[in-house]
Every structure is written in structure tokens, then in C-alpha cells.
Amino acid sequence: MVTIKSERELELMEKAGNYVAQVLDELTEKVYPGVSTQDLDFFAEQRCRDLGVIPAFKGYHGFPGCLCISVNDEVVHGIPSSKRILNEGDVVGIDFGVIYQGWFGDSARTFPVGKISSEAVQLLDVTKESLHRGIEQCREGNRLFDIGHAVQNYVEKFGYSVVREFVGHGIGRALHEDPQVPNFGAKGKGMELKAGMVLAIEPMVNAGGPAVQVLEDGWTAVTRDRSLSAHFEHTVAITADGPRILTPVGVENASK
Ligand code: MG
Ligand code: MG
């Protein structure tokens, strides 16, 4: 069932989203060569405690971390570990969500570790831009697949591919609500978008082919051809005034 949020509910979701954004902003300075992915996870957990919000992923279907941290050919759902040390030149996807007063926020960014190759820079830039092209379609009267069409159309111009097995989603009082939001599809297809819908738009883009496989840990998804992958996500409300990003970059104090 697709839920429609009231203005009051959108304000609470915006609070949740701003907490997510603030912690991701803070993590930007924590990502450097030599740090372990567990260090990043502990930082996020402590910040949730400080800010009085609940990390949304910890314990979700048994996931052990607050953050999903996916390095290089890992697409999504990497498990934080003290043994996983970031190296100069890596790209690291960090996916984070919180619960604030029963409402969820969800966002992801892919960070460079030190200096990265020009190929990696382009992959990150294209993936981030594809997210914004998808968000631009989050307008009343548009159709659901207009979002994925915009993402796919942009990404494939660069010879990259969008992941099929994982998709964006509705979000609200649950982390994953209807509808599913694929990063591919035909323009003009799917349900009509209405004001008050909130969607997590999250392109996962591979430098090589689209196929992924899940490792023996049951969580970590990697590209089957071991090519680099990037992931950016925002929680976005559809409003009468157009798309409103609830997890914006550059939040300085979410509790305000
Ligand atoms: Mg996410
Ligand atoms: Mg999500």
C-alpha cells in the first residue's frame, strides 16, 4: 500500500532525514586511508546516541551494523568490520538510516578515500547526477517509471549499468514501503505520482555489467564482474511545489 503523508508528517520525516544527513556530513571527514569500516560504524552509533535517534539498520533482518559500508566492487549492504581497512584510492559507499519519533530517513553517499582514479571520479559524479535526474521526476502527475527511466538513460550514456536486483522504495513509518522504485524502466509507465508520497531514490551504478552476487556472509552484494560500483540515495517527498529532498547535504544542526 502506498501511503500519503500529511504536511505535519512530512515535517517529522524531514527531521528524521536531516539527522541522517548531518551524520553523513560528519562522516565525510572520517573517511580516510587507515580507518576501519567498523570505526565509521562506531562513530555513527555514538552520534545516534548523542542526537537521540535510533539507527534504522541495526538489527534490521539481523543486519549487525548501523551503517552499510560497501567498498569498491561492493554494491550495497557491506558489513562494517575491524578487519576492513580503507586504502588510498578506494571508493566507499555509506548507507545510513534513522528512526525519529517513529519516522524513517534513509540516504547514501559514495566517498573517495584520499585520491582516487579519474575513472572512479567519473563514476561517482555520474551516479550522483543520475540521482538528481531521478529526483527531478518526482512530481505530481508524473509516472513512477519516469524516475528509473531518467536514471538509466543518463547512466548508460557513459557505458555504465544500473543494478536490477536492488531498487529504491517508499518510506515512512517503515524503512521499506510500497512502491518499489527501480532504477530502470519505460517513461510514462507505472503508478501516478501524488503529493504526499515519499520515496527513497537510490541508483546503484556499476562501471561494468549490471549483474551482482551476494557473498557468503548473506549480505554483501558485489558486482559479478568485480567492476567498481557507486551508490547515492536521498529520501524525497513529492509536493505541490515539486520534489523536496528530506536528506539534504550540508545540514549543520539537525536538532534545530
Ligand atoms: Mg539507504
Ligand atoms: Mg533505501
Side-chain angles (χ1 to χ4, degrees):
M1 192 184 75
V2 177
T3 59
I4 299 292
K5 280 78 174 178
S6 67
E7 187 52 40
R8 170 72 188 138
E9 290 171 337
L10 288 185
E11 283 169 17
L12 290 168
M13 288 198 74
E14 188 153 45
K15 278 270 194 187
N18 282 2
Y19 283 116
V20 173
Q22 179 177 344
V23 174
L24 285 171
D25 285 349
E26 292 172 357
L27 279 164
T28 309
E29 291 167 24
K30 304 285 174 189
V31 173
Y32 48 80
V35 79
S36 79
T37 57
Q38 187 178 68
D39 293 335
L40 300 175
D41 193 63
F42 284 172
F43 173 79
E45 185 161 26
Q46 182 59 49
R47 292 301 287 138
C48 285
R49 236 177 266 130
D50 299 340
L51 295 165
V53 294
I54 300 167
F57 302 167
K58 193 159 183 139
Y60 185 84
H61 294 290
F63 188 79
C66 292
L67 303 174
C68 295
I69 309 184
S70 308
V71 184
N72 295 337
D73 63 346
E74 297 170 357
V75 179
V76 284
H77 303 162
I79 299 172
S81 164
S82 60
K83 297 193 193 73
R84 193 65 193 265
I85 309 297
L86 298 181
N87 293 309
E88 178 94 18
D90 287 345
V91 298
V92 56
I94 299 186
D95 194 346
F96 179 54
V98 307
I99 311 168
Y100 170 76
Q101 293 192 10
W103 295 94
F104 284 75
D106 186 11
S107 183
R109 302 180 196 169
T110 301
F111 298 96
V113 182
K115 185 163 169 46
I116 61 173
S117 69
S118 56
E119 291 83 2
V121 170
Q122 181 179 279
L123 178 67
L124 268 52
D125 287 348
V126 168
T127 307
K128 192 195 290 184
E129 175 62 22
S130 76
L131 167 61
H132 287 281
R133 290 188 180 218
I135 291 170
E136 190 48 41
Q137 297 300 316
C138 292
R139 294 178 182 279
E140 275 187 294
N142 278 5
R143 297 280 169 170
L144 182 67
F145 280 83
D146 292 346
I147 299 168
H149 178 79
V151 170
Q152 180 181 25
N153 186 48
Y154 183 68
V155 160
E156 291 184 351
K157 281 181 192 158
F158 294 85
Y160 301 150
S161 54
V162 293
V163 170
R164 280 25 177 208
E165 282 91 337
F166 301 102
V167 296
H169 49 93
I171 180 170
R173 285 195 176 277
L175 179 59
H176 295 123
E177 294 186 351
D178 290 335
Q180 293 198 342
V181 186
N183 294 300
F184 55 91
K187 201 171 166 54
K189 300 284 187 197
M191 70 168 62
E192 189 178 335
L193 301 180
K194 296 196 165 72
M197 289 182 181
V198 182
L199 303 175
I201 314 290
E202 51 178 315
M204 288 146 268
V205 175
N206 299 344
V212 300
Q213 78 185 85
V214 176
L215 299 182
E216 315 76 69
D217 64 20
W219 282 105
T220 312
V222 300
T223 55
R224 194 165 289 168
D225 60 12
R226 299 299 189 265
S227 64
L228 274 191
S229 190
H231 179 210
F232 285 85
E233 175 181 26
H234 277 306
T235 297
V236 180
I238 295 160
T239 78
D241 302 324
R244 191 198 306 174
I245 297 175
L246 304 183
T247 49
V249 176
V251 172
E252 282 185 4
N253 184 356
S255 58
K256 268 195 296 206

